[in-house]
Amino acid sequence: MSLDGVHYICDIWETRQTGSLQADGRPRGARLLARRGVRQDRLVDLTLAGLDAAGLRNGPACTEFEHTAHGPVQVAPSAGICATDEPLLTRAAIGEGQADWTVFAYLAPEWFRLRAARPYRQLRHAAWVALPTPASGSARFRSLMRELKALESYRGAVVGGAPPVTRVQFLHADEQTVERDYVAALSSVEGYGEEPWTSAG
């Protein structure tokens, strides 16, 4: 979120897949990273430079990176709140998200400028995994969801996108619990594969 060229990093997510992307090229999962770290600081520096170069001095924006053999390559930043359920999951983990910071910028600009210097702090840890949503009843889908719901940090599921995808969310105060469940969920989703998801049963 930016206000007159003052930028605040609301959240940093790392996408990951176990062996392949989804059939439509989208990642299979992501986890919320701590604000500080060698990688995070590097990505933030690149993000801020990209926002300035694009002239995005006010309002929310999202930036994506592709990791290559030569390091992270920034995809052009896009203006607007990230169009996923991540902002809501971020709020659950941090206590505030991109929408909150948008309100802060417009209703309390001086407070925004003061707070922008302080990095976000995770109250809880978060991750999500994505799986194809069947058009009709699917025994395989129900079996997989039962498996994911049994994980300790399971929070819920959100359906959206085109084609529709079910994003299963994980949230817990213990980082290792979320990381363990996230890895297990990715493995389970990969094991179920992409087809067939639409057969009734």
Side-chain angles (χ1 to χ4, degrees), residues 6 36 47 98 100 108 139 156 184 200:
V6 176
R36 294 297 188 188
T47 294
Q98 206 176 23
D100 301 290

Side-chain angles (χ1 to χ4, degrees), residues 72-191:
V73 175
Q74 185 177 12
V75 179
S78 58
I81 293 177
C82 299
T84 68
D85 55 299
E86 279 178 3
L88 294 178
L89 189 53
T90 297
R91 179 187 287 169
I94 297 174
E96 55 201 17
Q98 206 176 23
D100 301 290
W101 277 91
T102 302
V103 173
F104 298 155
Y106 289 104
L107 297 185
E110 292 306 318
W111 185 89
F112 176 97
R113 292 185 181 93
L114 289 173
R115 276 288 311 275
R118 293 166 48 191
Y120 68 76
R121 184 173 62 88
Q122 290 172 266
L123 305 175
R124 289 179 284 183
H125 300 272
W128 58 261
V129 297
L131 53 146
T133 303
S136 60
S138 166
R140 296 179 72 223
F141 180 82
R142 292 195 300 270
S143 176
L144 176 56
M145 285 303 300
R146 281 194 300 269
E147 193 174 325
L148 299 181
K149 287 178 180 180
L151 297 173
E152 184 178 353
S153 62
Y154 174 85
R155 179 175 185 260
V158 178
V159 180
V165 168
T166 297
R167 288 168 63 136
V168 178
Q169 301 176 343
F170 301 94
L171 187 72
H172 199 279
D174 180 62
E175 182 178 11
Q176 291 183 343
T177 299
V178 170
E179 179 65 18
R180 179 199 67 209
D181 291 352
Y182 176 48
V183 170
L186 282 171
S187 179
S188 294
V189 171
E190 179 77 7

Side-chain angles (χ1 to χ4, degrees), residues 15 17 20-29 64 66 163 165 194:
T15 60
Q17 62 275 347
S20 62
L21 295 168
Q22 296 180 69
D24 60 8
R26 287 181 285 185
R28 291 189 183 276
E64 293 184 15
E66 294 181 1
V165 168
E194 298 289 342

